[in-house]
Amino acid sequence: MSALSPREQRWAEALFDAILGPLEAHGLPSFASVDKASFYRAIDTAPGPQFSPGLRGMILAADLATLPTHGRPLHRLDRTARIAAIDALSRQESYLARQILSTLKILATFAYYEDPEVRRRAGADVDAPRAHDAHAAHDSNASDLVHLDGRTLDRPRSFDCDVVIVGSGPAGATVARALAARGLDVVVLEEGFEARPEAFVASGLQSMARLYREMGTSMALGTSPMPFLQGVAVGGTSVVNGAISWRFSEETLETWIASDRGLAPVFELSRLRAHEDALFARLGVTPTDDAIAGEKNLRLAKGAAALSIASRPIARNVVGCKGSGRCLQGCPHGAKLSVDRNLLVDAKNDGARILAGMRVDRVLHDGARAIGVAGTSAGGARYDVLAKKAVVLAASAIGTPALLLASGIHHGPVGQHLSAHPGVSVTARFPDAITNFRGATQGHEVVGLRGEGLKVEALGFDLSILASRVPGYGSALAPRLASIDRFAVWGTALRAEGEGRVMLVNGRPQVLYSLADRDVERARRAVRVMGDLFLAAGAEEVYPGTPGFAPIVRDRETMARFEREGPLSPRAYAMSMTHLFGTTRMGTDPSRSVVGPDFQHHAVRGLYVADSSVFPGNLGVNPQLPIMTLASIAALSIAGDR
């Protein structure tokens, strides 16, 4: 079934055309002239029951918004009136109106920059023609890494093993590698499919449809609803992240141990460092070279140096990076060493079986001990995997608690204490070309403000996503898109104090999360700091992007006022949730934690958790390497080598 009917498509196109404005007046192809078939195919593949009705509702609400002022829905106005109406709507103070327009703007830029000619004229990569099936690229480029593709499993089947691992991302891959090397019979289950470098596409929209859960539309509800992104592929989110590699910070470990002395053996510094060293070597972690950093990263370094704030090239797990700026779509050169290119290969070579396209629905247990898992293949067949030794959950801080709840395993604060690094971003315009979609996706970071709970990074996006971050609508947006190569986006991850939870609603995980008051103050501080950094780096205009303050800032005095006068409502900041932790937290007290220091569930023996949901809190830094480090220790516990 199509996400939009032909009539709804006409309404959407009228909206998108008005949102993007008179592009042809500024030397760009008009929205009416571009090929939209690829866009519609992509949104038709979006999983998740809320996407289509939500999209229809937003289109209808925006279309009817002109009835009070014009007596007609927007799609029946002439083009000049439509653009003027969108300009007026964008100035409304209503939070709901802002959210609807912002979401429709993202869809409009996706639709526009799907057209190959638009991409070509902007200097972005253009995908070669390929089959319409969203998974055809996976099918035609499969390797021998995957033992079974669930799309081929159309009748019930049972599997036996020593250890079954749910999730093939950094945590699951690390455990699989360690246990397979010890001679254990390991099965790894992954809901997504294998994706090879030659199958990755440049299109941000197509990549999200193929490689992201619910096409990136997952949303945490709270005082300020925030999207969160999770990869769904063999290799998990490591396939589509920025490859940033940080070690555990000593202050974080000290805080965790102080809160529960029984965790000291797990978080003993020298032990962690030894595992980190081994992972750094296997993953090829090195600082980003200036030669492939790109202007967006080099300008952040320049701004930080001008303000005397400590910064550095980001250490990333890459070898032979070409600076193509496509980490978030999957590296087309195979330079990013995601776990499907190393740890899972090691595990497979030692006998582990990797099963893709296999959704896990529940943990099988007798109330006292886990005996396996059951689920549904992509081909529609029921299956189960029985494990003699252990069931290991590595399905993320969202998926793991949801699976426990779905299995009737409610012991302890399962799903509670969700912590995160909410991210706030700022866009700026430079007088010369930055070409934000080129260079290392995230190649430079400001570390001198970590004591304030702020870590600033240069951000790289596909052209379509970058366009959605260019400020304005209609008549203000069109001329800016004509010089899109001059815009850059930087972001700040907040070490937030707010907590949330994961619960099941109609059998599906629902995330609730709200910022604490101090987190909003951090967000305001972050916007001011990023504005200062941009101006110090030579930007001519900074766009704070918050209602009630100057939409364009050109001097540091005005940016200083933002920290005093900027809004303190969480809804004033367009934020996204990154790096999720704590929903099956580790501890020695069974009433306050879900798993013990041995990573084993307090109430169900043989059930282990090895992902970021065991973290007692958030890190303030990118968690990929810390997750893998703890997973290495979890594997020792599972194998009995503690």
Side-chain angles (χ1 to χ4, degrees):
M1 179 179 177
S2 297
L4 297 175
S5 69
R7 182 176 66 171
E8 290 165 337
Q9 288 182 11
R10 291 194 298 272
W11 295 355
E13 289 175 20
L15 278 165
F16 293 171
D17 179 66
I19 287 170
L20 296 173
L23 297 163
E24 67 282 2
H26 303 280
L28 297 175
S30 68
F31 180 75
S33 70
V34 302
D35 183 358
K36 306 168 188 69
S38 179
F39 168 75
Y40 289 125
R41 285 195 297 268
I43 66 171
D44 286 348
T45 69
Q50 303 303 318
F51 179 80
S52 292
L55 176 57
R56 292 190 181 103
M58 287 187 293
I59 290 171
L60 182 61
D63 192 55
L64 297 180
T66 56
L67 279 177
T69 54
H70 294 73
R72 287 182 293 172
L74 185 138
H75 76 273
R76 294 186 60 190
L77 302 179
D78 64 51
R79 191 181 189 217
T80 300
R82 288 201 312 271
I83 293 173
I86 288 294
D87 285 343
L89 285 172
S90 70
R91 293 191 291 272
Q92 287 189 3
E93 295 184 1
S94 164
Y95 172 75
L96 181 59
R98 294 202 317 271
Q99 288 297 101
I100 290 175
L101 272 183
S102 175
T103 303
L104 291 174
K105 180 180 177 180
I106 293 170
L107 292 168
T109 58
F110 273 143
Y112 186 62
Y113 288 99
E114 273 297 287
D115 185 272
E117 180 59 23
V118 175
R119 296 182 67 86
R120 189 176 294 111
R121 288 172 62 169
D125 292 343
V126 179
D127 292 321
R130 59 178 68 235
H132 294 339
D133 177 15
H135 298 302
H138 300 281
D139 296 340
S140 62
N141 293 287
S143 73
D144 61 356
L145 178 64
V146 171
H147 177 78
L148 173 70
D149 187 316
R151 288 168 290 193
T152 68
L153 185 62
D154 57 5
R155 61 186 61 187
R157 185 168 174 184
S158 293
F159 303 86
D160 295 294
C161 62
D162 294 324
V163 179
V164 60
I165 300 170
V166 181
S168 70
T174 302
V175 174
R177 177 185 187 236
L179 296 183
R182 286 167 171 75
L184 292 170
D185 181 14
V186 175
V187 168
V188 180
L189 299 172
E190 169 57 50
E191 182 179 352
F193 305 103
E194 184 180 11
R196 304 295 298 162
E198 58 269 25
F200 292 131
V201 296
S203 161
L205 175 64
Q206 299 293 336
S207 298
M208 294 181 79
R210 299 174 185 187
L211 299 172
Y212 288 76
R213 184 172 302 283
E214 298 188 350
M215 212 176 77
T217 63
S218 301
M219 187 72 67
L221 303 180
T223 53
S224 177
M226 300 182 201
F228 60 91
L229 301 179
Q230 292 184 301
V232 182
V234 173
T237 302
S238 74
V239 176
V240 290
N241 67 14
I244 301 174
S245 301
W246 267 77
R247 295 177 183 267
F248 269 110
S249 68
E250 292 186 39
E251 62 266 28
T252 295
L253 298 174
E254 290 169 357
T255 299
W256 290 354
I257 292 171
S259 67
D260 188 341
R261 292 291 177 185
L263 298 180
V266 181
F267 300 127
E268 196 273 316
L269 185 60
S270 62
R271 183 188 195 194
L272 294 177
R273 293 293 187 244
H275 285 287
E276 288 172 342
D277 289 344
L279 288 165
F280 262 60
R282 182 66 183 94
L283 299 178
V285 176
T286 52
T288 302
D289 193 300
D290 283 357
I292 54 90
E295 281 299 316
K296 62 178 176 285
N297 293 298
L298 299 178
R299 298 296 174 96
L300 179 55
K302 178 181 177 181
L307 299 181
S308 299
I309 305 175
S311 74
R312 67 185 186 186
I314 292 177
R316 303 180 302 143
N317 49 294
V318 299
V319 172
C321 176
K322 301 181 184 301
S324 62
R326 286 175 53 177
C327 282
L328 306 188
Q329 298 108 284
C331 178
H333 311 293
K336 181 169 61 174
L337 298 186
S338 49
V339 296
D340 57 311
R341 298 185 59 75
N342 42 62
L343 302 192
L344 286 175
V345 174
D346 296 344
K348 183 261 179 186
N349 289 341
D350 282 327
R353 289 171 284 166
I354 301 165
L355 280 55
M358 305 286 275
R359 189 183 77 242
V360 177
D361 299 326
R362 69 186 189 278
V363 176
L364 303 175
H365 63 97
D366 60 12
R369 185 169 187 85
I371 59 176
V373 299
T376 307
S377 74
R382 296 295 300 168
Y383 75 91
D384 60 57
V385 182
L386 301 181
K388 303 182 190 73
K389 185 175 181 65
V391 173
V392 182
L393 302 185
S396 84
I398 306 300
T400 289
L403 188 53
L404 289 173
L405 293 170
S407 306
I409 303 174
H410 299 105
H411 173 86
V414 59
Q416 300 177 35
H417 302 299
L418 172 67
S419 61
H421 298 151
V424 60
S425 64
V426 171
T427 302
R429 175 190 168 100
F430 284 83
D432 54 340
I434 301 297
T435 319
N436 195 82
F437 47 88
R438 296 292 184 199
T441 298
Q442 291 161 285
H444 203 85
E445 59 191 356
V446 173
V447 296
L449 302 172
R450 284 191 53 234
E452 301 182 36
L454 309 177
K455 190 169 87 70
V456 183
E457 300 169 354
L459 304 179
F461 306 107
D462 175 52
L463 187 64
S464 58
I465 302 174
L466 172 63
S468 73
R469 303 293 186 93
V470 172
Y473 293 86
S475 57
L477 179 60
R480 290 171 178 157
L481 292 181
S483 58
I484 195 170
D485 63 336
R486 298 187 180 189
F487 288 85
V489 184
W490 296 343
T492 299
L494 311 179
R495 189 173 190 182
E497 298 175 14
E499 284 194 352
R501 65 178 300 185
V502 178
M503 55 194 298
L504 289 184
V505 177
N506 296 324
R508 295 175 55 83
Q510 177 60 63
V511 180
L512 305 178
Y513 183 84
S514 293
L515 298 171
D517 289 344
R518 288 183 58 184
D519 299 331
V520 184
E521 293 174 2
R522 288 187 180 95
R524 183 169 72 172
R525 167 75 170 149
V527 170
R528 184 266 171 94
V529 166
M530 286 186 283
D532 282 347
L533 288 164
F534 269 126
L535 293 168
E540 58 185 5
E541 293 184 346
V542 173
Y543 311 96
T546 57
F549 195 80
I552 301 174
V553 175
R554 297 184 176 90
D555 59 85
R556 290 189 59 196
E557 291 75 16
T558 306
M559 283 310 317
R561 280 202 303 111
F562 185 87
E563 192 166 359
R564 300 189 302 271
E565 303 171 11
L568 284 175
S569 166
R571 293 190 169 194
Y573 298 88
M575 305 181 75
S576 60
M577 288 179 68
T578 60
H579 312 151
L580 311 177
F581 314 93
T583 48
T584 63
R585 58 166 48 178
M586 177 187 292
T588 55
D589 183 348
S591 68
R592 301 177 59 194
S593 57
V594 177
V595 301
D598 60 354
F599 296 82
Q600 189 169 201
H601 195 276
H602 282 304
V604 181
R605 301 289 87 186
L607 177 59
Y608 294 81
V609 179
D611 57 31
S612 63
S613 61
V614 306
F615 285 32
N618 66 23
L619 298 173
V621 299
N622 306 76
Q624 177 173 260
L625 259 293
I627 289 170
M628 298 167 81
T629 299
L630 279 197
S632 299
I633 297 172
L636 296 178
S637 179
I638 297 163
D641 294 348
R642 296 182 71 211

